[in-house]
Amino acid sequence: MFTYETAIARMYALGHELAQTPSHKFDLAHMRVLLGALDNPERHFPGVLVAGTNGKGSTAATLASILRASGVRTGLYTSPHLARINERVQISGEQISDDDFALLHYLVDRTAERLVAEGELPWHPSFFEMLTAMAFEYFARRNVEIAVLEVGMGGRLDATNVVEPRVSVITDISLDHQKFLGNTVAEIAGEKAGIIRPGGVVVTLPQQPQANDVIGRTIMELGARAVNAVPFVPPVIPASTQYQVASTQESVAPVSRYPLQVMGKEILVETPLIGRHQLRNVALAIASAEELGQQGFPVTAASIERGIRETRWPGRFQVVPAKGSTPELVLDVAHNPAGAWALRSTLSAGYSDQALTFIFGVMRDKAIGEMAEILFPLAERVIATRADNPRSATAEEIRVAASRTSTRIEEASDVAAAIAMVRASVKQDAVVVITGSIYIVGEAMRLLGVHI
């Protein structure tokens, strides 16, 4: 019997999704051969592509929640995952089952092996190509009415970019994955702008001038139509917490709440996604939803309001109240300098008068020194640790990279050890920030029993 455990083992045996050489990783011709042999499942549903450096997952999750609240059977494909690979493939908020995952892996894997044997493919598809094909097949079989697809990396040559999107969304662009995408914001923006189609629709916001120039030029060259999400961003003064309030829901976690004019009506936006940067992501989701409404999807102002309120996107400034020997926690996947600045801004606004302890771990290929210089000055104490991942920097590597900061840095061999150190020594009224790689946050959530 071909099991879920076997499928997972075979997927990870392909190597990490960023471990391939660029030539192996990025070839849409190979992706099209694989999908062609599967009867092109990506043509069986309309899609939305979401690219960017930061915020694309939050934007995709919010948009999918709005569409679901509008009564649309909605697929959501995101990456990476916090704890289980199934998180990446969802329909109307439900993760793909283990049985469906195993079945689809068997189908796609056997198809890939046949194509390699027949010389149609030069090598077996990568981890990300396999998972993308499985997601497309799942969405096609389950008759989704639309799929919101988060681009894995870049855009132009990403495995998701074989779909013909109804809407292309570009979130904030900054430096990340330079080894694959280029060394300047303009070069990276060029890769992200690869999801724009001739005569297509692009939802975006003004950002860094170099990115604006590239995106604007691409839109003009392709005769695409730009939709500006600025009308849906509330006016915010720097360091303002004016929109951050206690939730009206059962959760004790804070929310951002503000009135907004949408589709000719005033709604009350209430999002669990905290921080000024998330106001931009929510605005992109609203603008995309309104555009899809004009294309015939049953989106209303009321369903936008409800969808935003019901968004679930864990590990993004997720506040967990103190309980037993565990102090209050803030979980946030700030995995690059732009994410670190966003986290710093949100912490400064909400926790300016409290002692912070950081549990920090990150992948070796990230700008560790720069992230440390942004975040560590906020902390009284930093515990550097590593995730159970071959790309993870060791605690010692983090300490060396962070040598220009004066914050005291302790080392823990793994996330469990870091949590044990915190429980043994941190005062109950302190706040512990667990951040860096999504793998660090995911492991911490699993160890702490935080719902994902």
Side-chain angles (χ1 to χ4, degrees):
M1 178 63 188
F2 197 77
T3 65
Y4 173 75
E5 289 71 25
T6 312
I8 295 293
R10 285 182 67 90
M11 284 292 286
Y12 283 120
L14 294 171
H16 186 271
E17 52 203 296
L18 298 186
Q20 306 283 344
T21 63
S23 60
H24 270 225
K25 164 75 179 160
F26 304 133
D27 195 326
L28 290 190
H30 298 160
M31 190 67 190
R32 290 194 175 102
V33 168
L34 176 61
L35 292 170
L38 294 166
D39 193 26
N40 293 110
E42 79 284 4
R43 296 178 187 170
H44 292 230
F45 52 84
V48 175
L49 281 173
V50 186
T53 308
N54 289 82
K56 58 184 189 285
S58 299
T59 302
T62 305
L63 176 58
S65 185
I66 291 170
L67 290 165
R68 181 180 164 201
S70 305
V72 180
R73 187 168 170 76
T74 307
L76 175 63
Y77 180 55
T78 57
S79 62
H81 56 275
L82 281 163
R84 298 185 86 232
I85 202 168
N86 306 50
E87 296 165 33
R88 299 177 181 225
V89 184
Q90 302 183 21
I91 295 178
S92 295
E94 293 290 323
Q95 297 176 16
I96 185 171
S97 71
D98 291 0
D99 287 348
D100 282 330
F101 189 98
L103 176 73
L104 290 170
H105 177 268
Y106 182 80
L107 170 71
V108 177
D109 196 44
R110 289 291 169 269
T111 303
E113 288 184 341
R114 175 175 63 78
L115 292 168
V116 172
E118 292 172 357
E120 296 286 319
L121 283 178
W123 46 69
H124 194 286
S126 70
F127 176 102
F128 191 74
E129 288 164 339
M130 285 286 295
L131 197 56
T132 303
M134 289 163 61
F136 289 166
E137 183 70 22
Y138 183 59
F139 293 156
R141 287 180 174 212
R142 293 301 179 97
N143 301 312
V144 300
E145 294 170 288
I146 193 165
V148 181
L149 309 166
E150 179 190 354
V151 169
M153 184 172 61
R156 182 175 64 93
L157 294 174
D158 189 79
T160 57
N161 200 30
V162 294
V163 305
E164 287 305 315
R166 289 290 192 91
V167 176
S168 299
V169 187
I170 299 180
T171 69
D172 290 343
I173 294 169
S174 59
L175 293 176
D176 201 6
H177 298 305
Q178 289 96 311
K179 185 171 78 168
F180 297 96
L181 301 179
N183 291 311
T184 66
V185 167
E187 284 177 323
I188 292 172
E191 293 296 321
K192 309 286 185 189
I195 66 165
I196 300 172
R197 296 292 187 270
V201 179
V202 193
V203 177
T204 190
L205 279 168
Q207 45 179 304
Q208 294 191 54
Q210 309 97 297
N212 289 340
D213 290 348
V214 171
I215 294 166
R217 192 166 62 246
T218 306
I219 288 169
M220 286 178 65
E221 286 170 356
L222 295 176
R225 177 164 60 86
V227 174
N228 190 347
V230 163
F232 304 118
V233 182
V236 179
I237 354 173
S240 161
T241 54
Q242 68 191 97
Y243 299 121
Q244 196 170 314
V245 293
S247 173
T248 55
Q249 310 299 305
E250 291 170 16
S251 163
V252 294
V255 296
S256 288
R257 189 185 304 140
Y258 46 93
L260 212 57
Q261 284 292 127
V262 174
M263 300 176 90
K265 295 192 167 70
E266 182 171 287
I267 66 168
L268 189 65
V269 171
E270 186 175 289
T271 172
L273 298 172
I274 297 296
R276 287 170 56 214
H277 59 295
Q278 293 289 12
L279 303 179
R280 292 172 61 83
N281 300 328
V282 171
L284 289 166
I286 294 171
S288 303
E290 191 175 79
E291 172 60 33
L292 289 167
Q294 288 167 10
Q295 291 185 23
F297 289 90
V299 176
T300 64
S303 68
I304 288 174
E305 182 178 72
R306 186 175 141 217
I308 294 168
R309 193 173 62 244
E310 293 176 352
T311 303
R312 296 293 170 265
W313 192 231
R316 280 74 183 176
F317 209 85
Q318 184 172 349
V319 179
V320 181
K323 185 179 179 184
S325 62
T326 307
E328 181 170 332
L329 302 172
V330 174
L331 300 146
D332 190 78
V333 295
H335 60 95
N336 56 30
W341 277 118
L343 173 58
R344 177 175 173 146
S345 164
T346 311
L347 285 170
S348 298
Y351 293 96
S352 58
D353 55 348
Q354 282 174 278
L356 301 180
T357 292
F358 277 66
I359 293 177
F360 179 84
V362 73
M363 296 297 108
R364 192 176 283 115
D365 57 354
K366 298 292 183 176
I368 303 172
E370 190 179 346
M371 292 174 69
E373 287 172 40
I374 296 164
L375 289 174
F376 291 7
L378 296 182
E380 283 190 352
R381 174 188 183 202
V382 172
I383 301 171
T385 190
R386 72 183 304 277
D388 182 17
N389 184 302
R391 288 173 55 231
S392 197
T394 64
E396 166 70 8
E397 285 169 334
I398 291 170
R399 198 171 55 74
V400 170
S403 59
R404 289 212 297 272
T405 68
S406 57
T407 311
R408 180 164 62 101
I409 301 172
E410 300 163 50
E411 296 179 26
S413 56
D414 56 27
V415 178
I419 291 170
M421 287 169 68
V422 159
R423 282 179 164 154
S425 58
V426 170
K427 296 187 184 76
Q428 192 66 15
D429 60 349
V431 176
V432 176
V433 181
I434 303 176
T435 189
S437 154
I438 192 165
Y439 302 101
I440 293 285
V441 174
E443 284 181 33
M445 291 173 84
R446 199 165 61 245
L447 289 162
L448 293 161
V450 177
H451 180 65
I452 295 177

